[in-house]
Amino acid sequence: MKIILNTLFVCLSLLFLSACGGEKTQHSAASSVQTKKEIIIGTTVGDFADMVRDQVKPELEKQGYHVQLLEFTDYVRPNLALADKSIDINVFQHKPYLDDFAQSRHLAIMPVFQVPTGPLGIYSGKLHELSAVKSGSSVSVPNDPSNLARALVMLDKLGWISLKNNINPLKASLADIASNNKHIKLVALEAAQLPRSRHDVDFAVINGNFATSSGLKFTSALFLEPGYTYVNWAAIRTADKDTQWVKDITAAYNSAAFKQYAFKRFAGYKYPESWGIQSTSPASTALQ
């Protein structure tokens, strides 16, 4: 009986120590997340990277953070890197793309705040005016499904193609083209390749960030996408949504200093809806 009691005592002691150790480990992990001071921000090349270098990184480093910028040239790796913890936050995508990517890949990532976004536009290639379009004209477009849908909607608005009735414009695909009376030749390319494609096609549909990174100005666009559905978002892992560092980086992107910088540096962009500025005209760029 004594041996049994001693054995029982040892087991209970081990269970107690194990529980305490587990609680300590969990507490340590939680503390580590809350006291995180190194942030790796992933963006596509161009304006989103400039925002980090020029304004966000210096602001966060004033608060004691060490900020590293990692630039990507495609729209797939930034979300995969976020999910596998190679980066902590990314800035490059609109919400329809993020939602579709996260769902199809079963990733626990989520939008957290909007950022100033250059609009999608149609730029000249071999032809320099929209009225110069002719039968068989070639148009380069983004090859990812979400941005391809945007391009098709733009071409539909111009009357170059006609999309089927009652389709979801956020998911328009080549199969949704009802008619192509002008016999437009669509050349699908990775978004980063679109600026260079202008030499080989009649017109190019180019994402805002890649337009600016290649030296194109929005004022040179022949047609800009209307509406605000595609203002881009920063994305984080869902598990990080309540952390202090996420709150601090959100504040940095929405500070008065960042807004003044964005209005001057990125005039003509579409700004976050929360800023209450829906016009991209120069007259709208003064702080209220």
Side-chain angles (χ1 to χ4, degrees):
M1 177 64 71
K2 184 176 181 180
I3 292 175
I4 294 174
L5 289 174
N6 285 340
T7 301
L8 181 61
F9 176 77
V10 170
C11 291
L12 289 172
S13 298
L14 289 173
L15 286 171
F16 176 77
L17 290 172
S18 176
C20 291
E23 182 179 349
K24 182 178 180 180
T25 300
Q26 292 174 5
H27 178 73
S28 298
S31 298
S32 175
V33 170
Q34 291 300 324
T35 59
K36 177 181 177 66
K37 285 298 179 180
E38 293 190 4
I39 302 175
I40 303 177
I41 304 175
T43 73
T44 43
V45 296
D47 48 7
F48 297 129
D50 290 342
M51 291 176 198
V52 174
R53 274 190 294 263
D54 296 345
Q55 194 71 29
V56 176
K57 185 176 187 287
E59 175 59 30
L60 290 173
E61 289 184 341
K62 287 179 185 177
Q63 301 176 43
Y65 288 99
H66 174 70
V67 178
Q68 179 182 343
L69 171 64
L70 186 60
E71 296 178 71
F72 296 87
T73 58
D74 68 280
Y75 289 160
V76 175
R77 289 183 299 152
N79 278 334
L80 299 181
L82 178 62
D84 70 19
K85 301 185 179 180
S86 296
I87 60 176
D88 298 303
I89 184 170
N90 68 40
V91 180
F92 79 99
Q93 64 195 319
H94 51 71
K95 193 170 181 296
Y97 179 83
L98 171 60
D99 290 345
D100 182 70
F101 195 100
Q103 182 178 8
S104 64
R105 305 264 183 150
H106 307 290
L107 303 181
I109 58 177
M110 61 174 283
V112 61
F113 57 83
Q114 290 180 325
V115 296
T117 306
L120 190 74
I122 298 179
Y123 295 83
S124 63
K126 295 177 182 178
L127 301 179
H128 301 284
E129 296 180 358
L130 295 179
S131 59
V133 66
K134 57 184 184 294
S135 179
S137 284
S138 56
V139 181
S140 59
V141 294
N143 66 359
D144 62 281
S146 182
N147 286 306
L148 174 59
R150 298 168 67 186
L152 294 176
V153 170
M154 290 177 69
L155 297 180
D156 177 77
K157 287 182 180 296
L158 288 173
W160 292 7
I161 64 171
S162 295
L163 294 174
K164 296 175 181 177
N165 294 327
N166 302 319
I167 65 165
N168 182 347
L170 300 180
K171 296 184 177 181
S173 69
L174 297 178
D176 294 316
I177 297 177
S179 65
N180 184 357
N181 294 330
K182 292 185 180 297
H183 306 290
I184 297 296
K185 298 176 182 177
L186 298 177
V187 182
L189 301 170
E190 284 195 11
Q193 306 301 319
L194 291 168
R196 288 194 289 272
S197 74
R198 296 172 64 211
H199 302 294
D200 303 313
V201 296
D202 295 319
F203 301 96
V205 180
I206 305 176
N207 297 69
N209 60 312
F210 289 120
T212 56
S213 65
S214 65
L216 291 171
K217 296 185 180 301
F218 296 134
T219 53
S220 71
L222 303 177
F223 184 80
L224 290 174
E225 179 181 55
Y228 289 84
T229 301
Y230 297 102
V231 172
N232 285 8
W233 290 76
I236 58 170
R237 290 181 291 277
T238 305
D240 292 331
K241 63 186 179 67
D242 296 320
T243 57
Q244 185 59 47
W245 68 267
V246 169
K247 295 175 183 177
D248 290 339
I249 198 170
T250 301
Y253 269 97
N254 287 281
S255 67
F258 183 83
K259 290 177 183 178
Q260 289 282 22
Y261 158 77
F263 295 153
K264 182 178 180 180
R265 174 70 171 76
F266 300 111
Y269 277 50
K270 295 184 178 181
Y271 302 117
E273 187 174 2
S274 64
W275 291 10
I277 298 173
Q278 294 302 303
S279 171
T280 59
S281 66
S284 72
T285 60
L287 277 175
Q288 302 296 321

